Amino acid sequence: MNDVLAYVGRPQPRVDGPLKVTGRARYAAEVAVEGMAYGAVASSAIARGRIRSLHLAAAKAAPGVIAVLSHERDPGLPDEDDPYLKDMGAVPGSPFRPFCDDRIHFSGQPIALVIADSHEHARDAAALITADYDAETPQVDLMAAKAAAYVPPEPRSGIPPPPPPRGDAQAAFAAAPVRLQEDYRVAAEHHNPMETMATTVVWEGDGRLAIHTKTQGVNNPKTYVCAVFGLDPDAVRVISPFVGGAFGMALRPHYDLLLATLAALTLKRSVRLTLTRQQMYTMGWRPDTLHTVALSASEDGRLTSIRHAAVQATSRYEDYQEPTVNWSGLLYACPNVTLSYELAKLDTSTPSDMRAPGAALGLYALEAAMDELASRLKIDPLELRLRNYAERDFNEDKPFSSKELKACYRQGAERFGWDRRRPEPRSMRDGSELVGLGMATGCWEAMMQPHAARATLDAEGRLEVACGTADIGTGAYTILSQIAAEALGLPIERVTAKLGDTTLPKAPVEGGSWGAASAGSAVQAACAALKEKLLAQARGMNGAFANAAIAHARFTADGVALASDPAATVAYADLVRAAGGDGIAAETEFEPDEEFTKKYASYTHSAVFAEVRVDEELGVIRVARLVSAVAAGRILNPATARSQILGGAVMGLGMALHEETVWDATLGRIMNANLGEYHIPSHADAPDIEVIFVDEDDRANPLGVKGLGEIGIVGVAAAIANAVFHATGRRVRHLPITLDKLL
Amino acid sequence: MDQNDRRPGAELVPVTLVVNGETRRLEIEPAVTLLDLLRERLHLTGTKKGCDQGQCGACTVLVDGRRVNACLQLAVMRDGCDVVTIEGLGTPDDLHPMQAAFVARDAFQCGYCTPGQICSAVALVAEGQARTPDEIRELMSGNLCRCGAYSNIAAAIGDVMAGAAGAKEAAE
Ligand code: FES
Ligand code: FES
């Protein structure tokens, strides 16, 4: 590491920015291929039952149609679960297998695929497909399904179930002077990235496929299609350099990938399949969740018990799990805690991870309840949190690797002007508007995953770093370039980061906020290994380096120099030439330090402050201002880091006030499967958002990074809901807080 | 790839468009939207498809200088028109001021809404209706950004407007 931090920690503009702002960045559906055919999916019109007969004749006879695929003439897909379980995102149960039989599991399920010579012909022919169904009554109402809720028999791999109870929460509750028990609910949401799911399969001949698909990690779709279609991994390359947003939706492979690959293999030609916005509502979603939170406290506001029980929707065929109650066991110091998590089956597609899965919902419920408790105790909500501050993770009974949440509270409150808040609800106004101030806490795991990376220096002194991870808008290209430029002492213009390709060193899916810590550490390690190689080469070329250790060497834009004798420099060009190749490369694997993770619990934290304005007569709610103070270890790039938090805050605002997927209870079909009726926050809804990163020194990885993708959303909905209560005196416990609930 | 339709089906209709300054003559089916024409036939994939039904703004282009949702236009309706897409505004080495402001303000993340936001913003400035940040937000509300880059987008537009105003004052 150089003495001077040239790039890391500075607001470097995105290195992929010029490509993105000029429309030159190509996404999965934008690869031009000679002779390509186009696919379009016909979707089921019922939510549950069987297809009695499919009417495909009109589509087959439509102009330009090349083929129509469906379950009717066995498309040759495997009819057991095993190959489909080769999906890093698989959950317990039986994964959805398109075209495997006549069974309909959810509304909008793909029932046929049209392949035609143009996008329009495929689309128009798909619209001609109808079916006769034996429809069964679907269950899409979580309130009703709750009666049959169950503890998932098999936990989801890698996702811990709720910790066992500690103390005796029930007895402590019964004995406490101050008690509160309330039900909360957050409506179902859909990710709605702006780019829809899309796959372009390029038929390269000899059974070789280049698959351009929307994914949060190229290795997962590759493993999946190889397993499902029995393909030789050497014959399949998956490429996804740009991803038009995903938020968890593109962790698992979806039917666009499967059907496009099926069509390409069947027809032996290149195929593009783009799903429609409506079809984006036929896969992965944030599950509708019912929470009951019971808190008890002493008169002076010390929590004596926390109970949090949640019932969450899943599909009939899989047990998706995001134990949303877990964070309630570690956010506060409390001796008596009972957490329970159950699922209820609905006739929908399987939910999936969506930005801060579990925590975004569970901490809404807990932090709304804490606000209610504060108001009952007549204690300032921020003060109540400080009185119950946890210095240890009591879920696992471990110390934190670092926790600067107190600094978040302090700096956030100061920036926001929390001290102007009058305690009584409905006590602040500005003209015809009621003003409300609310706050909440956020928390998310700081995780890491094994990642491999390669660093290659060429004769022109250009450095390429490569890793099979994804940049879904997080800024991975940029931070990895910063880390590499700094490690080798090069101007960042001489560094290229390559991502999103199965020919690159292996990485898992990009999710859970582990990307920066893991890929960043891997790139840093690859650069360190490269420096060793460069120095070894220099030793053989210049006597002055004969005994030089890495600590004696300096890496600059010109080459390797000796710290003690800067005049002794071996130019990179000479090093590469002497090594006799196009470049000198080093590849390494980063593994998280298991000893460390056994000893310490690592989390990011935030304090979120919201100011809302409510029109007293019309009930219209506007978020005027948000302040988010975040403790997430070292910040590699304050500009892209800030954007991550902004994005989470805006999505949290959507959860609080706008977003709600609505099913027709009788038909089981989604009634608002479009961006006009499913409202995601727009420009006019977006407030001023201030982001503070507090200093936090963490040792979980060599970079000191904790990750930022999720923390930005956690706590935002609660802060806004609490502000709405403060403005109006009305406690709405069912998000989103639409004005009908307020009036 | 063949830009024209030579397939069985509906009758082909000739269309002439000036796209980013270049005259393009095509024969297409009447059902082809301006968006699909740009993306699939001219391979100008900078114009994005987020919904294909006028609800997201990702497909915003400038037609005769005005911002329109290209997914809501049949290409034949725009016969003879001048179309500017994101590719026509600037190149990576020679960014349009709005593109440069988006980079400087980190006004995007995944980048998928970005071409539409930029085309919309360029038209917004030309329209001269927005003077305050609130007006910018109101008049940009047809362009959704799921990454939530809104405040940075508004800042980028503000920068360009301030720069344009400064340049105008200097000229006067
Ligand atoms: S694609 Fe045209 S408005 Fe969404
Ligand atoms: S930058 Fe991703 S949708 Fe706007």
Side-chain angles (χ1 to χ4, degrees), chain A residues 118-246:
Chain A
S118 76
H119 160 67
E120 292 78 14
H121 285 159
R123 178 194 64 194
D124 296 351
L128 299 173
I129 292 175
T130 57
D132 294 326
Y133 301 96
D134 289 322
E136 296 160 23
T137 308
Q139 176 59 274
V140 291
D141 179 358
L142 181 60
M143 275 308 217
K146 185 183 176 201
Y150 58 97
V151 175
E154 186 192 338
R156 176 179 167 195
S157 157
I159 306 286
R166 60 176 186 260
D168 185 341
Q170 204 167 345
F173 185 85
V178 184
R179 289 180 284 185
L180 173 139
Q181 176 168 338
E182 294 294 348
D183 293 337
Y184 302 89
R185 183 174 188 179
V186 184
E189 296 183 331
H190 275 80
H191 306 66
N192 277 307
M194 293 314 298
E195 179 199 27
T196 62
M197 295 304 299
T199 300
T200 306
V201 181
V202 183
W203 176 262
E204 296 188 324
D206 297 339
R208 300 189 72 81
L209 301 180
I211 302 177
H212 302 260
T213 191
K214 178 179 177 110
T215 176
Q216 288 176 247
V218 284
N219 290 294
N220 199 35
K222 173 167 170 170
T223 312
Y224 179 81
V225 295
C226 287
V228 170
F229 295 100
L231 302 173
D232 172 6
D234 291 336
V236 177
R237 178 179 175 197
V238 176
I239 306 144
S240 182
F242 296 103
V243 180

Side-chain angles (χ1 to χ4, degrees), chain B residues 35 48-59 69 71:
Chain B
L35 176 58
K48 304 303 183 193
K49 183 187 281 190
C51 68
D52 216 13
Q53 55 186 168
Q55 295 177 331
C56 76
C59 62
N69 289 338
C71 69

Side-chain angles (χ1 to χ4, degrees), chain A residues 193-195 243-245 247 472-473, chain B residues 107-114 117 144-149 153:
Chain A
M194 293 314 298
E195 179 199 27
V243 180
F247 315 110
I472 58 173
Chain B
F108 55 92
Q109 293 172 43
C110 76
Y112 200 78
C113 74
T114 311
Q117 301 276 0
L144 297 177
C145 174
R146 187 52 155 167
C147 294
I153 294 171

Side-chain angles (χ1 to χ4, degrees), chain A residues 80-361:
Chain A
E80 69 277 351
D81 285 347
D82 259 18
Y84 298 87
L85 289 167
K86 299 275 178 296
D87 161 13
M88 287 176 215
V91 296
S94 174
F96 172 57
R97 297 185 278 120
F99 296 180
C100 74
D101 57 23
D102 58 0
R103 187 87 228 164
I104 298 295
H105 304 275
F106 54 88
S107 174
Q109 179 178 319
I111 55 171
L113 173 70
V114 175
I115 304 294
D117 60 357
S118 76
H119 160 67
E120 292 78 14
H121 285 159
R123 178 194 64 194
D124 296 351
L128 299 173
I129 292 175
T130 57
D132 294 326
Y133 301 96
D134 289 322
E136 296 160 23
T137 308
Q139 176 59 274
V140 291
D141 179 358
L142 181 60
M143 275 308 217
K146 185 183 176 201
Y150 58 97
V151 175
E154 186 192 338
R156 176 179 167 195
S157 157
I159 306 286
R166 60 176 186 260
D168 185 341
Q170 204 167 345
F173 185 85
V178 184
R179 289 180 284 185
L180 173 139
Q181 176 168 338
E182 294 294 348
D183 293 337
Y184 302 89
R185 183 174 188 179
V186 184
E189 296 183 331
H190 275 80
H191 306 66
N192 277 307
M194 293 314 298
E195 179 199 27
T196 62
M197 295 304 299
T199 300
T200 306
V201 181
V202 183
W203 176 262
E204 296 188 324
D206 297 339
R208 300 189 72 81
L209 301 180
I211 302 177
H212 302 260
T213 191
K214 178 179 177 110
T215 176
Q216 288 176 247
V218 284
N219 290 294
N220 199 35
K222 173 167 170 170
T223 312
Y224 179 81
V225 295
C226 287
V228 170
F229 295 100
L231 302 173
D232 172 6
D234 291 336
V236 177
R237 178 179 175 197
V238 176
I239 306 144
S240 182
F242 296 103
V243 180
F247 315 110
M249 175 166 201
L251 290 167
R252 296 187 74 176
H254 293 294
Y255 63 81
D256 59 304
L257 171 73
L258 189 129
L259 296 183
T261 310
L262 173 68
L265 291 170
T266 307
L267 302 173
K268 301 200 176 352
R269 69 186 282 183
S270 301
V271 172
R272 171 175 300 158
L273 175 58
T274 307
L275 299 190
T276 63
R277 178 56 56 186
Q278 283 73 10
Q279 287 165 344
M280 293 294 277
Y281 291 78
T282 62
M283 56 189 68
W285 49 290
R286 196 195 291 277
D288 191 355
T289 306
L290 306 168
H291 302 264
T292 302
V293 179
L295 302 177
S296 64
S298 60
E299 300 280 7
D300 65 350
R302 313 244 167 229
L303 284 166
T304 61
S305 76
I306 297 174
R307 280 176 295 162
H308 186 169
V311 178
Q312 194 161 51
T314 189
S315 69
R316 214 167 279 284
Y317 52 95
E318 285 178 312
D319 277 356
Y320 169 77
Q321 293 159 63
E322 49 169 56
T324 176
V325 296
N326 290 7
W327 294 265
S328 296
L330 64 89
L331 201 56
Y332 296 110
C334 177
N336 305 297
V337 176
T338 301
L339 307 173
S340 83
Y341 177 67
E342 293 181 309
L343 299 178
K345 295 266 185 212
L346 298 183
D347 293 300
T348 61
S349 63
T350 304
S352 77
D353 295 320
M354 178 169 168
R355 205 168 206 163
L361 299 174

